[in-house]
Amino acid sequence: MNQILIGKGNQPVHLLAKYGNRHGLIAGATGTGKTISLMVLAEGFSRMGVPVFMSDVKGDVAGLAMAGVLNEKIRQRVDQIGIEDYTNESSPVLFWDIYGRTGHPVRTTISEIGPSLLGRMLEINDIQAGVLEIIFKLADEQGLLLLDLDDLRALLGFVAENRKDISTRYGLVSAQSIAAIQRALLTIGREGGEVFFGEPALEFGDLMRTDLNGRGVINILTADQLILKPRLYSSFLLWLLSELFENLDEVGDLDKPRLVFFFDEAHLLFNDAPPALRQRVEQVIRIIRSKGVGVYFCSQYPDDVPNDILGQLGNRIQHGLRAYTPRDQKAVRTAAETFAANPGLDVARIIGQLGVGEALVSMLQGKGIPMPVEHTLICPPRCRMGAITSEERAMVRRRSPVGSKYDAPMNRESAYEILSRKAASAPANETRANQEKPRTEAEAGKGMFSDMFWGTSRRQGLVETMAKQAVRTVGSQIGRQILRGVLGGIFGGSRR
């Protein structure tokens, strides 16, 4: 295969494999068929041997793992489009889940996620993010591995105990900032951070698998609960995209992509994102195509994606938009203006009239030129269009080639163990040091005078000698004065 059949307008509409890494956008209102288009693309890439990564926000994308059922409605659509080789079939699927409940656990380490994205996950302010930068710098210099939340908590405790010295060397570290980060760690730990941060960490080669028949494996991230934590969801997917960018080598334009990445609910990536983060996303999108990765954003409105990034998305599928509000009307205008013009279509008018399973489609054609937008009937997917049962999911998971690698957590020595061991040994070392500490000259002099006055086991001292003499002369007034005079002088008494 060197193309994916998307649907049919005045003519069949295809996505060419060699332009699959030129990125794309699937947009439209809720219930207009975005998920169906996403599944058609995922199946098509898989059949041509391209691995796919996608998130499952509503639970229906998991249907890719099961063959669909041919009914009258699907048969009618197949005949309308003229699909000659349509058969119901499943795709090779791996299920992933940050929480480890409905898929293999997805883990990464604190060190790999980095201070910038971690700060966004924790939703801390700029000052607290600066303290987090100092903590990572300190860990690097001290050779302390930050693998999980326990490691970060232990290092925060160390910084709190040595705050003055660290502030002098790296910059001000306030107790309030440390406390704020610690509270944020409690929150993210409760929301899934305890299982997300740790080892074994995800190896990206496991996302780029093909099955024995040469079909690309579709990696599906369960996100129905994760989507309730928008910053954690978007930061995780951005980290994944950034890591692919950092780890894959340059390959230029290939006959087909090495991996295709679908980013559902894409608006969450850019909501409240600081300028530096947006710039980073733009840089990744602009360059990652040369590493053989295609990125497809899926969202309700095309203007959910910033213009600098929107301009990089060559393949477009626009489902219906209902222009009920000024916001909707603006989105319709944006969608109409970003398509390659078709003199026979009034794009702004048609967008509001598209039915379920219909879309305005423009794909890159020869020499990378966008085709004029077509009013297109979207192909039905070959898989099940709906959720799967827990038993079916468990069956797919049992067949997974990576279950033994990721399902059991591991915990090697890192910052928590090292700092805990140092803290435990500190009191013993202090006691030993005190026992072995040599006496100073002042202490030695004090001991000499003590021995002289009070004596030792081998000889009597001045006090004992005077006491005995006093006993002998106790009857006399002079003896009583001597005794009181000597003892009073030693203990600070006054002579009377």
Side-chain angles (χ1 to χ4, degrees), residues 341-361:
N342 184 337
L345 290 179
D346 183 350
V347 174
R349 179 181 61 83
I350 291 177
I351 286 179
Q353 300 175 354
L354 291 171
V356 177
E358 300 178 6
L360 292 171
V361 180

Side-chain angles (χ1 to χ4, degrees), residues 46 49-54 92 94 96 202-211 214-220 240-241 243-251 254 256-261 288 291-294 401-402 405-406:
S46 176
V50 177
V52 172
F53 183 92
M54 60 200 310
L94 284 178
W96 302 89
L202 177 65
E203 293 183 14
F204 295 98
D206 289 325
L207 299 181
M208 303 176 70
R209 289 174 170 266
T210 56
D211 70 359
R215 297 187 60 173
V217 172
I218 301 176
N219 300 274
I220 299 178
L240 190 59
L241 192 60
E243 287 296 304
L244 289 170
F245 173 75
E246 296 289 344
N247 288 284
L248 295 178
D249 54 330
E250 295 276 347
V251 292
L254 303 174
K256 60 183 180 181
R258 300 164 74 186
L259 175 71
V260 171
F261 187 100
I288 201 169
K291 301 193 175 190
V293 177
V402 298
K405 182 175 182 179
Y406 292 107

Side-chain angles (χ1 to χ4, degrees), residues 111-139:
S111 294
E112 287 177 347
I113 206 79
S116 298
L117 273 181
L118 181 60
R120 189 167 191 261
M121 287 181 176
L122 297 177
E123 300 186 29
I124 57 180
N125 63 33
D126 292 342
I127 295 174
Q128 294 153 8
V131 172
L132 203 58
E133 293 276 359
I134 291 174
I135 290 170
F136 272 75
K137 176 68 173 176
L138 182 65

Side-chain angles (χ1 to χ4, degrees), residues 143-328:
L144 297 173
L145 285 176
L146 296 178
L147 302 180
D148 53 27
L149 291 182
D150 284 340
D151 294 327
L152 188 55
R153 292 188 187 108
L155 192 54
L156 278 167
F158 175 81
V159 170
E161 292 175 0
N162 301 274
R163 186 166 53 83
K164 291 185 178 180
D165 293 340
I166 292 172
S167 295
T168 301
R169 184 173 179 182
Y170 298 98
L172 180 62
V173 176
S174 68
Q176 292 84 353
S177 293
I178 294 175
I181 297 172
Q182 289 172 327
R183 289 192 297 270
L185 289 179
L186 289 175
T187 301
I188 199 172
R190 186 173 61 250
E191 293 178 350
E194 296 290 356
V195 290
F196 175 53
F197 294 111
E199 291 186 314
L202 177 65
E203 293 183 14
F204 295 98
D206 289 325
L207 299 181
M208 303 176 70
R209 289 174 170 266
T210 56
D211 70 359
L212 296 178
N213 297 317
R215 297 187 60 173
V217 172
I218 301 176
N219 300 274
I220 299 178
L221 174 72
T222 302
D224 55 337
Q225 295 299 312
L226 183 62
I227 197 68
L228 301 177
K229 316 294 186 299
R231 287 208 175 185
L232 182 59
Y233 170 76
S234 60
S235 298
F236 164 72
L237 292 182
L238 179 58
W239 162 77
L240 190 59
L241 192 60
S242 298
E243 287 296 304
L244 289 170
F245 173 75
E246 296 289 344
N247 288 284
L248 295 178
D249 54 330
E250 295 276 347
V251 292
D253 289 324
L254 303 174
D255 292 336
K256 60 183 180 181
R258 300 164 74 186
L259 175 71
V260 171
F261 187 100
F262 288 96
F263 200 133
D264 201 3
E265 300 295 336
H267 65 281
L268 296 176
L269 174 60
F270 305 105
N271 284 353
D272 302 322
L277 182 59
R278 288 196 178 199
Q279 185 179 3
R280 173 65 172 171
V281 176
E282 181 190 351
Q283 178 191 25
V284 170
I285 296 300
R286 189 183 299 275
I287 301 176
I288 201 169
R289 76 170 185 86
S290 65
K291 301 193 175 190
V293 177
V295 180
Y296 289 74
F297 294 97
C298 187
S299 194
Q300 289 198 17
Y301 302 105
D303 57 0
D304 285 336
V305 180
N307 288 334
D308 291 340
I309 297 173
L310 193 62
Q312 305 295 318
L313 311 181
N315 301 303
R316 306 285 183 90
I317 300 177
Q318 175 65 60
H319 288 270
L321 288 172
R322 311 300 179 230
Y324 298 133
T325 67
R327 169 73 172 85
D328 297 337

